Amino acid sequence: MKAVSTIRGRAIPLGLKNVDTDVIIPAHWLKTISREGLGKGAFETIRATPGNPFDVEDFAGAPILIAGDNFGCGSSREHAAWAMLDMGLTAVIAPSFSDIFAGNAFKNGILAVELPQEQVDRLLEVAKDEQIAVDLENQVVTTPFQDRFEFQIDPFRKRCLLEGLDEIGLTLGSESEITRHEQVREGAMPWLDKPSRRDAA
Amino acid sequence: MFGAMASKPRTLYEKIWDQHVVERFDDGTCLIYIDRHLVHEVTSPQAFDALRLAGRTVRRPDLTLAVPDHNLPTTARLAPDGSRVPIADPQSAAQLAALERNAPAFGIDYIDAIAPEQGIVHVVGPEQGFSLPGATIVCGDSHTAAHGGIGALAFGIGTSEVEHVLATQTLQLRQSKTMEVRAEGELGPGVTPKDLILHIIGVIGTAGGTGHVIEYRGHVFEEMSVEGRLTVCNMSIEGGARAGLIAPDDKVFAYLAGRPYAPAGDDWDRAMEWWRSLSTDAGASFDRSVVIDAADVEPTVSWGTSPEDVVAVSGAVPSPDSFADPSKQDAARKSLDYMDLAPGTPIEDIAVENVFIGSCTNSRIEDLRAAAEILKGRKKAPNVRWAIAVPGSGLVKRQAEAEGLDRIFTEAGFEWREPGCSACLAMNPDKVPPGERCASTSNRNFVGRQGPGARTHLVSPAMAAAAAVTGRLADVRKFAPCQEVGG
């Protein structure tokens, strides 16, 4: 994972609630066997609507998206995070996120920043004309108008993001604990191991 | 780690969690062991590629099972001469070929598209006895929550997590909060587990379970069949909860006994000892509790583009102004515009051109029986252009055919298809055309979910059958099973 620190730039003021993963990337884009190139399909149905914020020239290449409650609800498709990354988005600000999307965003170095609705409303207003900055190290979102909105983030995720850590590499550091767990499990719950297919009774 | 550490009363979720902790870290993250990993073609190719790139192997191929479902067309897979029918869409074909290649290359059991056991991954897992009570089960699909119906801790993961499980058989997780959804009383006639879970999502909202694992408790779930429980738990994610589960009982044990991957002999007896301990202790507390009176639940239909947009079939399309929250009013206006519905329209006046019976939510044998009971001796209405019944697995299909259900469907004007995800998600040829409406037994009514511009109404299998017969959303309680004349 690439290390992330501060993301500064224009923010697309989408504002919608319950933006589901079928909206972020419709299923017909999921037939790919690659992680690349999904930006073309990102927010396809919204972008097909005239006057949508993605079409506004000022927001071309914007690194931040501002949305409503429950962003990323629905499917577990990581294609949603890949599609956003491919269109240049590296941070999303919303009052809440679905659990699975938040995890997928994190794994791809996209900051999912939770702020209360009134602060999100303020940022939606500011974003129309001005840049916004998301500072991960100090856990704060700032605007050119002295707004300073602090956010919470899981300390493990913060460290991984700041240091660009490979999570699998980290886990493999616990190899001996995993092996020990497997040995105890094999003794206590042997039925969980090596399920072999038999002919059904 | 295993066994006696229960000093304070614990919930079922906490018991399963504790039993799977490999390591606890100072920041509160835990390394959790994964007992069962189900893999399908859509969310796995990038994970296998990444393993190859990093020179990593699959740690426990024996705990992993692969089956294609999302992309697979549901039309005949074998030509009359016995040869395989090629997949027309080159991208789908490439994705299916990747799984067919990756599974054996990494030593993983693979259920082929033409095997009788093939089916939707969440139907196959329990049906094969691969999914077990008290196990941690993951799959790159959010409806993995379904397996909670047999008392497992099961949840959907993204592709990076698929890769992580393949490489390490673990996940780095934080313990979730607990939520109890208790349903007491009796469900009325014509009210099914699908209606109940739609009703629950309407009550808690689509983000109501975020950050929580739901345990469904109470008389209604105790009385419910195992297949009904799979339906309920399946849609936990539509209420925002990554997992939902129900304490396993004798019904679950009877359901699993003799299944191909289920333990047998001494292993079965030892497993039963642990499984019988899998319930929430008296005095354990939940972070949140919701109580549903079963008597309040009617056959339920979705009217909008979020699974929380539900109403009783006897009701009407709500007015956006009826919602207190201004952002919900705005969302409702957008939903109604997309759905082309006017506030106040009685639900039973809404005409449908398409009916889909299938998906990991409602494609098991009981679902097909419930639909067939309504369809028997009846035909789909002339305005219903397309009606399909898609069994959840080859074994469900075979069972249904043995019971003659296929003939009831085809005589009613339904197409009888091969198993797969089908019209649930518009990534295979089964799609609902733009601007058309579909009574669907699937789980999501999102914008474009069943095809660009398609309008989905989520219903139970019996309600879908009733809609097919009347050509409109219809109250199944008004349908007595057709009387057979002269045997």
mmCIF file of all heavy atoms in Angstrom, chain A residues 70-73 97-105 114 157, chain B residues 161 176 209-213 237 240-243:
data_model
loop_
_atom_site.group_PDB
_atom_site.id
_atom_site.type_symbol
_atom_site.label_atom_id
_atom_site.label_comp_id
_atom_site.label_asym_id
_atom_site.label_seq_id
_atom_site.Cartn_x
_atom_site.Cartn_y
_atom_site.Cartn_z
ATOM 1 N N ASN A 70 -24.062 6.658 5.430
ATOM 2 C CA ASN A 70 -24.085 5.256 4.973
ATOM 3 C C ASN A 70 -23.475 5.094 3.591
ATOM 4 O O ASN A 70 -23.979 4.342 2.761
ATOM 5 C CB ASN A 70 -25.537 4.740 4.998
ATOM 6 C CG ASN A 70 -25.612 3.226 5.012
ATOM 7 O OD1 ASN A 70 -24.692 2.545 5.470
ATOM 8 N ND2 ASN A 70 -26.706 2.693 4.497
ATOM 9 N N PHE A 71 -22.372 5.798 3.347
ATOM 10 C CA PHE A 71 -21.719 5.700 2.042
ATOM 11 C C PHE A 71 -21.158 4.286 1.849
ATOM 12 O O PHE A 71 -20.570 3.711 2.763
ATOM 13 C CB PHE A 71 -20.578 6.723 1.957
ATOM 14 C CG PHE A 71 -19.920 6.762 0.601
ATOM 15 C CD1 PHE A 71 -20.463 7.530 -0.421
ATOM 16 C CD2 PHE A 71 -18.788 6.012 0.335
ATOM 17 C CE1 PHE A 71 -19.879 7.556 -1.683
ATOM 18 C CE2 PHE A 71 -18.189 6.027 -0.919
ATOM 19 C CZ PHE A 71 -18.739 6.807 -1.931
ATOM 20 N N GLY A 72 -21.356 3.742 0.645
ATOM 21 C CA GLY A 72 -20.784 2.435 0.311
ATOM 22 C C GLY A 72 -21.585 1.260 0.818
ATOM 23 O O GLY A 72 -21.060 0.145 0.901
ATOM 24 N N CYS A 73 -22.867 1.467 1.135
ATOM 25 C CA CYS A 73 -23.673 0.338 1.599
ATOM 26 C C CYS A 73 -23.883 -0.641 0.444
ATOM 27 O O CYS A 73 -23.763 -0.278 -0.714
ATOM 28 C CB CYS A 73 -25.011 0.812 2.159
ATOM 29 S SG CYS A 73 -26.056 1.697 0.989
ATOM 30 N N PHE A 97 -20.132 5.359 7.138
ATOM 31 C CA PHE A 97 -19.779 4.458 6.044
ATOM 32 C C PHE A 97 -20.274 3.056 6.372
ATOM 33 O O PHE A 97 -20.345 2.680 7.532
ATOM 34 C CB PHE A 97 -18.259 4.389 5.863
ATOM 35 C CG PHE A 97 -17.653 5.670 5.398
ATOM 36 C CD1 PHE A 97 -17.263 6.642 6.310
ATOM 37 C CD2 PHE A 97 -17.489 5.920 4.048
ATOM 38 C CE1 PHE A 97 -16.711 7.839 5.881
ATOM 39 C CE2 PHE A 97 -16.938 7.116 3.609
ATOM 40 C CZ PHE A 97 -16.548 8.082 4.532
ATOM 41 N N SER A 98 -20.525 2.267 5.326
ATOM 42 C CA SER A 98 -20.799 0.863 5.586
ATOM 43 C C SER A 98 -19.480 0.221 6.023
ATOM 44 O O SER A 98 -18.400 0.656 5.605
ATOM 45 C CB SER A 98 -21.329 0.171 4.335
ATOM 46 O OG SER A 98 -20.268 -0.333 3.565
ATOM 47 N N ASP A 99 -19.575 -0.810 6.863
ATOM 48 C CA ASP A 99 -18.370 -1.442 7.413
ATOM 49 C C ASP A 99 -17.476 -2.020 6.316
ATOM 50 O O ASP A 99 -16.258 -1.873 6.360
ATOM 51 C CB ASP A 99 -18.753 -2.575 8.372
ATOM 52 C CG ASP A 99 -19.442 -2.055 9.626
ATOM 53 O OD1 ASP A 99 -19.227 -0.884 9.968
ATOM 54 O OD2 ASP A 99 -20.187 -2.821 10.250
ATOM 55 N N ILE A 100 -18.100 -2.716 5.359
ATOM 56 C CA ILE A 100 -17.276 -3.403 4.355
ATOM 57 C C ILE A 100 -16.593 -2.379 3.455
ATOM 58 O O ILE A 100 -15.402 -2.490 3.169
ATOM 59 C CB ILE A 100 -18.107 -4.407 3.515
ATOM 60 C CG1 ILE A 100 -18.772 -5.449 4.412
ATOM 61 C CG2 ILE A 100 -17.201 -5.107 2.492
ATOM 62 C CD1 ILE A 100 -19.597 -6.499 3.663
ATOM 63 N N PHE A 101 -17.327 -1.344 3.031
ATOM 64 C CA PHE A 101 -16.687 -0.339 2.178
ATOM 65 C C PHE A 101 -15.535 0.332 2.920
ATOM 66 O O PHE A 101 -14.454 0.540 2.348
ATOM 67 C CB PHE A 101 -17.685 0.728 1.689
ATOM 68 C CG PHE A 101 -16.981 1.798 0.901
ATOM 69 C CD1 PHE A 101 -16.666 1.599 -0.439
ATOM 70 C CD2 PHE A 101 -16.548 2.965 1.511
ATOM 71 C CE1 PHE A 101 -15.949 2.543 -1.149
ATOM 72 C CE2 PHE A 101 -15.825 3.922 0.808
ATOM 73 C CZ PHE A 101 -15.531 3.712 -0.526
ATOM 74 N N ALA A 102 -15.751 0.673 4.178
ATOM 75 C CA ALA A 102 -14.694 1.354 4.942
ATOM 76 C C ALA A 102 -13.427 0.493 4.953
ATOM 77 O O ALA A 102 -12.312 1.002 4.796
ATOM 78 C CB ALA A 102 -15.164 1.631 6.358
ATOM 79 N N GLY A 103 -13.608 -0.822 5.097
ATOM 80 C CA GLY A 103 -12.465 -1.735 5.083
ATOM 81 C C GLY A 103 -11.790 -1.767 3.724
ATOM 82 O O GLY A 103 -10.561 -1.688 3.622
ATOM 83 N N ASN A 104 -12.595 -1.860 2.677
ATOM 84 C CA ASN A 104 -12.037 -1.894 1.326
ATOM 85 C C ASN A 104 -11.301 -0.595 0.992
ATOM 86 O O ASN A 104 -10.264 -0.616 0.338
ATOM 87 C CB ASN A 104 -13.146 -2.139 0.297
ATOM 88 C CG ASN A 104 -13.632 -3.574 0.297
ATOM 89 O OD1 ASN A 104 -12.918 -4.468 0.735
ATOM 90 N ND2 ASN A 104 -14.836 -3.797 -0.190
ATOM 91 N N ALA A 105 -11.860 0.535 1.422
ATOM 92 C CA ALA A 105 -11.222 1.832 1.168
ATOM 93 C C ALA A 105 -9.849 1.848 1.831
ATOM 94 O O ALA A 105 -8.828 2.160 1.203
ATOM 95 C CB ALA A 105 -12.099 2.958 1.709
ATOM 96 N N GLU A 114 -15.037 10.079 8.800
ATOM 97 C CA GLU A 114 -16.383 10.282 9.355
ATOM 98 C C GLU A 114 -16.449 11.587 10.127
ATOM 99 O O GLU A 114 -15.660 11.815 11.044
ATOM 100 C CB GLU A 114 -16.708 9.137 10.330
ATOM 101 C CG GLU A 114 -17.446 8.003 9.678
ATOM 102 C CD GLU A 114 -17.923 6.969 10.687
ATOM 103 O OE1 GLU A 114 -18.130 7.315 11.870
ATOM 104 O OE2 GLU A 114 -18.073 5.816 10.260
ATOM 105 N N ARG A 157 -5.348 1.171 11.608
ATOM 106 C CA ARG A 157 -5.488 1.628 10.224
ATOM 107 C C ARG A 157 -4.645 2.890 9.973
ATOM 108 O O ARG A 157 -4.045 3.040 8.925
ATOM 109 C CB ARG A 157 -6.958 1.904 9.909
ATOM 110 C CG ARG A 157 -7.749 0.614 9.782
ATOM 111 C CD ARG A 157 -9.166 0.843 9.330
ATOM 112 N NE ARG A 157 -9.809 -0.461 9.128
ATOM 113 C CZ ARG A 157 -11.067 -0.645 8.769
ATOM 114 N NH1 ARG A 157 -11.836 0.404 8.548
ATOM 115 N NH2 ARG A 157 -11.553 -1.847 8.603
ATOM 116 N N GLU B 161 -9.121 -8.654 1.366
ATOM 117 C CA GLU B 161 -9.300 -9.584 2.485
ATOM 118 C C GLU B 161 -9.345 -11.036 2.001
ATOM 119 O O GLU B 161 -8.884 -11.935 2.698
ATOM 120 C CB GLU B 161 -10.568 -9.234 3.269
ATOM 121 C CG GLU B 161 -10.421 -7.934 4.045
ATOM 122 C CD GLU B 161 -11.708 -7.485 4.716
ATOM 123 O OE1 GLU B 161 -12.733 -7.351 4.020
ATOM 124 O OE2 GLU B 161 -11.693 -7.249 5.927
ATOM 125 N N SER B 176 -16.981 -6.426 16.840
ATOM 126 C CA SER B 176 -18.159 -5.598 16.560
ATOM 127 C C SER B 176 -18.980 -5.405 17.822
ATOM 128 O O SER B 176 -18.842 -6.145 18.796
ATOM 129 C CB SER B 176 -19.042 -6.276 15.514
ATOM 130 O OG SER B 176 -18.346 -6.460 14.320
ATOM 131 N N GLY B 209 -27.718 -1.432 11.501
ATOM 132 C CA GLY B 209 -26.851 -2.443 12.103
ATOM 133 C C GLY B 209 -25.372 -2.185 11.872
ATOM 134 O O GLY B 209 -24.535 -3.038 12.210
ATOM 135 N N THR B 210 -25.028 -1.016 11.299
ATOM 136 C CA THR B 210 -23.622 -0.737 11.014
ATOM 137 C C THR B 210 -22.777 -0.852 12.283
ATOM 138 O O THR B 210 -23.171 -0.348 13.330
ATOM 139 C CB THR B 210 -23.468 0.674 10.384
ATOM 140 O OG1 THR B 210 -24.263 0.720 9.204
ATOM 141 C CG2 THR B 210 -22.013 0.962 10.024
ATOM 142 N N GLY B 211 -21.658 -1.539 12.170
ATOM 143 C CA GLY B 211 -20.762 -1.714 13.315
ATOM 144 C C GLY B 211 -21.207 -2.821 14.266
ATOM 145 O O GLY B 211 -20.530 -3.088 15.251
ATOM 146 N N HIS B 212 -22.340 -3.454 13.976
ATOM 147 C CA HIS B 212 -22.892 -4.479 14.865
ATOM 148 C C HIS B 212 -22.943 -5.840 14.177
ATOM 149 O O HIS B 212 -23.005 -5.937 12.961
ATOM 150 C CB HIS B 212 -24.321 -4.132 15.275
ATOM 151 C CG HIS B 212 -24.438 -2.913 16.135
ATOM 152 N ND1 HIS B 212 -24.298 -1.637 15.649
ATOM 153 C CD2 HIS B 212 -24.692 -2.787 17.467
ATOM 154 C CE1 HIS B 212 -24.458 -0.767 16.636
ATOM 155 N NE2 HIS B 212 -24.692 -1.441 17.749
ATOM 156 N N VAL B 213 -22.958 -6.875 15.005
ATOM 157 C CA VAL B 213 -23.380 -8.197 14.550
ATOM 158 C C VAL B 213 -24.750 -8.435 15.181
ATOM 159 O O VAL B 213 -24.940 -8.222 16.380
ATOM 160 C CB VAL B 213 -22.378 -9.280 15.000
ATOM 161 C CG1 VAL B 213 -22.974 -10.670 14.853
ATOM 162 C CG2 VAL B 213 -21.095 -9.165 14.184
ATOM 163 N N ILE B 237 -27.028 -7.701 6.002
ATOM 164 C CA ILE B 237 -26.205 -6.646 5.409
ATOM 165 C C ILE B 237 -27.077 -5.509 4.880
ATOM 166 O O ILE B 237 -26.662 -4.353 4.871
ATOM 167 C CB ILE B 237 -25.278 -7.227 4.300
ATOM 168 C CG1 ILE B 237 -24.310 -6.182 3.754
ATOM 169 C CG2 ILE B 237 -26.077 -7.828 3.159
ATOM 170 C CD1 ILE B 237 -23.278 -5.709 4.730
ATOM 171 N N GLY B 240 -27.330 -3.094 7.341
ATOM 172 C CA GLY B 240 -26.045 -2.502 7.709
ATOM 173 C C GLY B 240 -25.127 -3.416 8.500
ATOM 174 O O GLY B 240 -23.960 -3.095 8.710
ATOM 175 N N ALA B 241 -25.643 -4.558 8.986
ATOM 176 C CA ALA B 241 -24.820 -5.445 9.813
ATOM 177 C C ALA B 241 -24.031 -6.394 8.921
ATOM 178 O O ALA B 241 -24.595 -7.043 8.047
ATOM 179 C CB ALA B 241 -25.689 -6.249 10.771
ATOM 180 N N ARG B 242 -22.737 -6.457 9.179
ATOM 181 C CA ARG B 242 -21.904 -7.321 8.348
ATOM 182 C C ARG B 242 -22.275 -8.788 8.565
ATOM 183 O O ARG B 242 -22.113 -9.607 7.671
ATOM 184 C CB ARG B 242 -20.442 -7.062 8.713
ATOM 185 C CG ARG B 242 -19.486 -7.362 7.615
ATOM 186 C CD ARG B 242 -18.111 -6.825 7.943
ATOM 187 N NE ARG B 242 -17.151 -7.271 6.940
ATOM 188 C CZ ARG B 242 -15.858 -7.001 6.981
ATOM 189 N NH1 ARG B 242 -15.372 -6.278 7.970
ATOM 190 N NH2 ARG B 242 -15.060 -7.434 6.039
ATOM 191 N N ALA B 243 -22.742 -9.115 9.752
ATOM 192 C CA ALA B 243 -23.128 -10.501 10.042
ATOM 193 C C ALA B 243 -24.403 -10.525 10.873
ATOM 194 O O ALA B 243 -24.683 -9.604 11.637
ATOM 195 C CB ALA B 243 -22.014 -11.221 10.789
#
